[in-house]
DNA sequence: TTGTAGGCGTTATCAG
DNA sequence: CTGATAACGCCTACAA
């Protein structure tokens, strides 16, 4: 029994060996109490558990990760932390992953594929067991990194061809659906307000154009695109611009609720009656949409469920299972309220 | 030269030894190229850098953390991810910490000290180099954990006595300030709407009461407290309740902008003129406050700056420096708009 | 059911 | 400036 006496550790934290020494057993047995308790005799186990509690032992994740070659962590890349669309997505993700014992490394890409690439590079150093990423707008290098890392990946928010795993909705269809709703209501000079111009917004724009086209309507003067981030203030600004550029517009599809709220508030300020003089539709169905006056017609998107489902799919992949189907379309719903 | 040939690793990832072998040097030298390049000769360095790039080498953080006994990560505990107050706080935190090379482990406590304790327990396993935590409402066990871990901690959002490091604002003073504003405007039957009832809300309530008391006003029937989470919808509900309970109320201080917006929208719906029939004040100055109609009087709180400053303070602590002063009051400002 | 040996990938230490 | 050696704390594999 040449047991080297374990000295206090570098960090001052209690280690398995110290516990083992106290109990008069070996580190591996203490490890078993933590990971496979059924493999340890009742007696030893309760004794060890006592000392663990007494000493306030706390496993060292770095050591565990190194030994097991997995980290029990998942990297989650979203465009923005200040957009509730993505924080709700995150909540769905975390409710699933935390329960399953995973930590999430959250990265916000600021809507930039380059930033996304650099975040991914950084997070791969942590050997994540899985990756959740927003959309399909990755740089070539990002794709390369994802492939070479051999870590399971699930894409969120959009659907696509390809053979990637994904959970989302058809942004194109949603944009078309709400535009059709406006057409059905009898509006014809239907404008579009777009900001940020990320791929999902562009899909919605394409859906809007398709709906108009299908209806034999053409209203290019009503399109206003701005690549700066969405905000309520920008909605107000864009409305002002639009009314100069195309005063005859009778309905407006805003690429998200923030813009739409800005438009609504600006209409209130100017005394423009909604929907009588101008109908307004948004996208996402954020919390204020149901409460503003008039209440906002919009597309409800299942953010929480997308996060939840994507995380579940990733869990399967991390277990080595093949999720079926590989793509889940969680749909959307048109919520007609007073503003159209 | 009994160099064991390094086999492909467990994870399939390139390691320092493999690079070393390729170059005909040792792992430690490769490590130096990464960490202290000035200690390696120009020639060897460029050669090694070439192979690193060629093979797409990626350091293993777990191994590094284990060897260095620090993780380059910081745990950040906030009450909620779906409240923009805290996501803005987070952005301030991350802008500083990411730049300094730290990762953030984000935990949302759901406003529960018990949940906070369990998150802290979990995150301590990662050996964070520092901890940012919201407020001072910790369980005894949490305090014990923080002390024993000997990890630097900075508290955010509130000020307090004690000797803890903190960056925040005096919630009491802010609540008192906006109430005084209402008093100055001539309102006397000033109600208070509170939700969630976390410590910061209770401080604001205390400030409200103090202001009334100082003015010789007493209006207990106007206080409505609800421990469920804040939301626009709850604001509408509480207004309804309040108008039954205290119809003579002439002004309302809502503990945050969400409630205030709900109140405003409900007033619009009912045709209650703001501020003529009822003045409404909020707290935080969230984005919509400036744009709703009438625009909302509120208290602007420096969330981003608090996160930023707290992170800088933590950085100092992690370097072993003593930040001066230990408590930073970043203040608030009264933003008077149309609703009062 | 328990323990021994050895390694995970990196870095600190100290020698050359 | 470079390298050999020995950790870091835990776990896998195998043996007893």
């Amino acid at each position: 029994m040449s047991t080297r006496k374990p000295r206090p550790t570098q960090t001052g934290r209690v280690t398995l060996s110290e516990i083992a020494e106290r109990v008069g057993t070996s580190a591996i047995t203490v490890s078993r109490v933590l990971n496979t308790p059924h493999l340890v005799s009742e007696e030893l186990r309760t004794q060890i558990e006592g000392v663990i509690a007494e000493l306030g032992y706390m496993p060292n994740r770095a050591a565990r990760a190194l030994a097991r070659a997995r980290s029990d962590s998942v990297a989650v890349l979203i465009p923005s932390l200040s957009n509730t669309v993505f924080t709700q997505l995150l909540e769905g993700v975390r409710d699933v992953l935390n329960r399953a014992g995973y930590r999430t490394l959250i990265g916000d890409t600021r809507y930039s594929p380059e930033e996304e690439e650099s975040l991914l590079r950084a997070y791969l150093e942590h050997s994540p067991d899985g990756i959740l990423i927003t959309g399909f707008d990755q740089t070539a290098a990002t794709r390369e990194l994802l492939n070479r890392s051999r870590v399971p990946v699930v894409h969120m928010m959009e659907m696509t061809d390809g053979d990637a795993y994904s959970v989302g909705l058809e942004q194109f269809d949603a944009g078309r659906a709400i535009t059709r709703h406006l057409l059905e209501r009898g509006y014809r000079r239907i404008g579009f307000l777009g900001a940020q111009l990320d791929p999902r917004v562009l899909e919605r724009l394409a859906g809007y154009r398709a709906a108009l086209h299908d209806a034999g309507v053409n209203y290019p003067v009503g399109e206003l695109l701005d690549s700066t981030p969405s905000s309520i203030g920008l909605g107000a600004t864009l409305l002002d611009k639009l009314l100069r550029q195309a005063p005859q517009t009778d309905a407006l599809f805003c690429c998200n609720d923030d813009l739409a709220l800005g438009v609504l508030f600006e209409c209130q300020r100017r005394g423009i009656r909604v929907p009588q003089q101008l109908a307004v539709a948004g996208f996402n169905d954020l919390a204020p949409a149901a409460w503003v006056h008039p209440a906002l017609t919009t597309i409800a998107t299942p953010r929480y469920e997308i996060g939840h489902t994507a995380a579940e799919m990733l869990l399967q992949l991390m277990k080595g299972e093949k999720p079926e189907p590989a793509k889940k379309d969680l749909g959307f719903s048109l919520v007609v309220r007073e503003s159209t």
Side-chain angles (χ1 to χ4, degrees), chain A residues 258-279:
Chain A
D258 280 331
L259 290 188
L261 292 172
V263 166
L264 275 188
F265 296 148
E266 184 63 17
C267 284
Q268 290 183 4
R269 184 151 270 117
R270 297 188 181 206
I272 298 173
R273 280 169 301 126
V274 175
Q276 294 81 356
Q277 291 175 263
L278 181 69

Side-chain angles (χ1 to χ4, degrees), chain A residues 22-169:
Chain A
R22 266 286 263 272
V23 177
T25 178
S26 68
I28 185 64
T29 301
V30 181
S31 170
R32 286 196 184 105
V33 169
L34 266 45
N35 300 305
T36 51
H38 56 284
L39 294 183
V40 179
S41 69
E42 178 88 33
E43 196 195 331
L44 238 190
R45 176 160 25 110
T46 52
Q47 200 190 151
I48 291 177
E49 279 165 348
V51 178
I52 285 180
E54 182 189 342
L55 265 49
Y57 168 77
M58 198 167 271
N60 179 324
R61 304 291 285 210
R64 168 178 294 183
L66 187 57
R68 290 208 214 186
R70 58 201 184 77
S71 61
D72 294 328
S73 74
V74 166
V76 186
L77 300 178
I78 57 176
S80 161
L81 259 175
S82 52
N83 183 332
T84 60
V85 166
F86 299 113
T87 54
Q88 290 169 352
L89 184 73
L90 260 185
E91 293 194 325
V93 166
R94 289 164 57 101
D95 281 351
V96 171
L97 293 183
N98 289 349
R99 198 176 329 240
Y102 288 90
R103 306 275 188 276
T104 52
L105 291 166
I106 300 172
D108 59 312
T109 67
R110 298 166 197 256
Y111 289 94
S112 151
E114 289 71 31
E115 181 74 17
E116 182 178 71
E117 178 185 326
S118 118
L119 277 170
L120 178 63
R121 233 179 261 286
Y123 284 173
L124 281 176
E125 300 186 352
H126 291 266
S127 319
D129 300 339
I131 293 172
L132 291 171
I133 196 167
T134 306
F136 292 92
D137 189 22
Q138 278 77 42
T139 67
T142 296
R143 268 186 264 275
E144 173 76 8
L145 281 171
L146 289 175
N147 285 335
R148 294 180 53 164
S149 72
R150 315 202 133 286
V151 175
V153 181
V154 176
H155 296 252
M156 304 180 292
M157 297 304 289
E158 296 173 45
M159 308 306 299
T160 191
D161 308 328
D163 54 354
Y165 293 97
S166 66
V167 180
L169 61 104

